[in-house]
Amino acid sequence: GMQSHLQALLSLYKLFCPDQVTITLPGKMKTYFKNSEGPWKAAITAVRQRNQGTSPLPQAVFLGISHPQSRKRKWNAQLVIPASSTNTNNLEEVGEKNHAYLYSTNMSFPVEQLQTFPQLLQNIHCLEFPSQMGSVLTNPLLLHYMNCVKDESIYLRLYYWMGQMLQEECTWCVVDNPNEEEFKSFLETVFKAECFLQEGFSACEEFLYKTLPLWDGFCCRSEVLRLVSWIPLSSFSDIKSYLYDPLAQLFFTSSIYFKCSVLESLKELLQNWLNCNVIQVDSEFSS
């Protein structure tokens, strides 16, 4: 028989291709899919209000988040290393056990006690990343460890967390988001971590490709252009459509200062690509 989720799927097909669905569907049913036109309608409304001068927030455009809830929390609270759940029980034991047992391979070293580079070298075989991956961005020792281990699960955890934070807190994509300074600080933290690792985060790349067409070239300008300089090298068609075309629209209609900022960012992007390519060539040659 007909199931509710199948009826919802058929109703969606009937909305876009009515000639393909000939059966009669009930008029009232539970909504399983968001309206795909919602973000476009909101963007058009925001542009109209901005041009008419009636909108208090000129950047009131969002990406599918109709009424985001204010979480009322500080960025710094997300970037401090918490006590790991698996390590909490070991904290008291660490103070009681001798130095040799602390570095044994049978126990995990608590990352909240990692303070020096020698500690990192002595315990690199028994470290465990914290439960909140955002805290890694502000810890050089864990960034060193992340660069050495090259564990795919670590990058996936950071990818999901960072992508969610960027989408929810982007000041020109979320309606009524007054925390521009906090968002600037977060983007600066992400940029510093990219410089430390000498590579860009895939979550940042997706965020830029998704939001650059909606960017006005003013909000968080220096932070956004810095992140642009760490976009990984990819095909020319992707770079052109997702990066060059949105920047070109702003480039030809903006001030000389903005034009110079874009050119500087693209120059740094080229330098990063060349440096990455040289490292890869050297690695292949040595192997």
Side-chain angles (χ1 to χ4, degrees):
M2 291 296 293
Q3 300 180 25
S4 58
H5 56 277
L6 293 179
Q7 290 181 350
L9 184 60
L10 287 173
S11 66
L12 187 65
Y13 285 140
K14 195 164 187 176
L15 177 64
F16 292 99
C17 300
D19 57 317
Q20 300 294 326
V21 182
T22 58
I23 64 174
T24 303
L25 296 172
K28 294 183 179 180
M29 63 180 66
K30 183 178 178 181
T31 302
Y32 281 83
F33 303 95
K34 294 182 179 180
N35 187 358
S36 59
E37 297 179 356
W40 287 107
K41 290 181 179 179
I44 293 173
T45 302
V47 171
R48 287 176 178 171
Q49 292 178 349
R50 183 178 60 190
N51 293 338
Q52 294 172 359
T54 58
S55 175
L57 290 175
Q59 317 307 328
V61 182
F62 63 93
L63 297 174
I65 304 176
S66 56
H67 298 288
Q69 298 179 353
S70 175
R71 290 168 295 170
K72 295 182 179 180
R73 52 111 179 96
K74 295 294 184 182
W75 284 110
N76 292 336
Q78 294 289 327
L79 302 179
V80 175
I81 297 180
S84 176
S85 57
T86 57
N87 292 330
T88 304
N89 297 330
N90 296 330
L91 293 179
E92 296 181 359
E93 298 178 8
V94 169
E96 298 174 358
K97 303 296 181 179
N98 57 31
H99 187 76
Y101 182 70
L102 177 64
Y103 296 140
S104 67
T105 58
N106 295 326
M107 104 180 254
S108 179
F109 185 80
V111 291
E112 57 269 19
Q113 293 190 357
L114 187 64
Q115 300 293 332
T116 63
F117 194 76
Q119 277 185 325
L120 173 65
L121 296 180
Q122 291 171 336
N123 298 279
I124 197 168
H125 57 283
C126 57
L127 279 178
E128 182 179 351
F129 276 94
S131 56
Q132 295 181 3
M133 284 302 295
S135 58
V136 175
L137 298 178
T138 56
N139 191 301
L141 295 176
L142 289 182
L143 288 176
H144 272 302
Y145 180 54
M146 180 177 171
N147 222 359
C148 294
V149 173
K150 295 297 183 183
D151 186 354
E152 188 66 22
S153 63
I154 297 172
Y155 286 90
L156 282 176
R157 287 178 59 192
L158 195 60
Y159 165 78
Y160 288 123
W161 174 84
M162 189 181 298
Q164 189 71 17
M165 298 297 285
L166 290 170
Q167 177 179 334
E168 291 182 358
E169 301 299 334
C170 179
T171 51
W172 66 88
C173 294
V174 179
V175 175
D176 299 331
N177 188 350
N179 302 320
E180 181 176 345
E181 292 302 321
E182 291 186 357
F183 188 59
K184 281 185 177 181
S185 177
F186 178 64
L187 294 182
E188 184 67 23
T189 300
V190 173
F191 169 73
K192 290 180 179 179
E194 289 183 331
C195 291
F196 189 95
L197 296 172
Q198 290 293 291
E199 63 178 327
F201 295 112
S202 56
C204 284
E205 180 185 13
E206 292 185 6
F207 164 73
L208 291 172
Y209 286 165
K210 184 184 295 185
T211 60
L212 280 178
L214 302 175
W215 186 45
D216 64 349
F218 178 78
C219 183
C220 305
R221 175 192 296 164
S222 60
E223 290 77 16
V224 170
L225 292 179
R226 287 176 180 176
L227 293 180
V228 166
S229 66
W230 280 109
I231 290 179
L233 179 62
S234 57
S235 65
F236 176 75
S237 59
D238 292 341
I239 291 292
K240 182 180 184 302
S241 58
Y242 294 122
L243 177 63
Y244 293 158
D245 289 348
L247 288 179
Q249 295 181 5
L250 295 170
F251 185 87
F252 293 114
T253 59
S254 300
S255 63
I256 295 295
Y257 178 78
F258 180 82
K259 289 182 172 64
C260 294
S261 300
V262 171
L263 292 177
E264 178 68 18
S265 176
L266 295 179
K267 185 198 76 172
E268 294 176 355
L269 175 63
L270 179 59
Q271 289 177 341
N272 291 332
W273 284 350
L274 292 174
N275 290 334
C276 180
N277 188 59
V278 167
I279 293 175
Q280 291 179 353
V281 170
D282 290 344
S283 176
E284 294 175 356
F285 180 77
S286 60
S287 62

